Amino acid sequence: LLIVHGARDGLVPLAAAEEHHRIVPQARLEVATDQGHFLLFLAPERVAAWLEAFFRDVEEGRATTRDGAPPERVAAAREPA
């Protein structure tokens, strides 16, 4: 799972992306610190680069799987919201 979020998002707080990242221990979180809710429209090249890297890692077997997630991430995922 790749989570992409703009840190300056006024509609969906960064904490929502961080919580999704926490509860899915194999997830990868990419944050654009200089972007907001319209990150996909205003920085498409950056998003495309993140997607390309993520897809490449998946295809080449380098992406983290749930079974391969660090134990501390798995434990954090078990904690209540």
Side-chain angles (χ1 to χ4, degrees), residues 4-69:
V4 175
H5 199 87
R8 296 182 181 180
D9 191 328
L11 299 175
V12 180
L14 178 57
E18 292 169 337
E19 180 64 3
H20 286 112
H21 184 246
R22 181 189 69 82
I23 65 174
V24 182
Q26 71 273 24
R28 181 182 303 181
L29 175 61
E30 298 289 358
V31 177
T33 58
D34 62 333
Q35 294 293 322
H37 191 74
F38 297 104
L39 163 66
L40 296 174
F41 302 109
L42 299 176
E45 298 84 9
R46 191 177 329 171
V47 175
W50 287 333
L51 286 167
E52 289 173 357
F54 180 73
F55 293 150
R56 185 174 43 254
D57 287 350
V58 168
E59 289 173 353
E60 295 177 5
R62 290 191 310 264
T64 303
T65 62
R66 187 166 182 90
D67 291 339

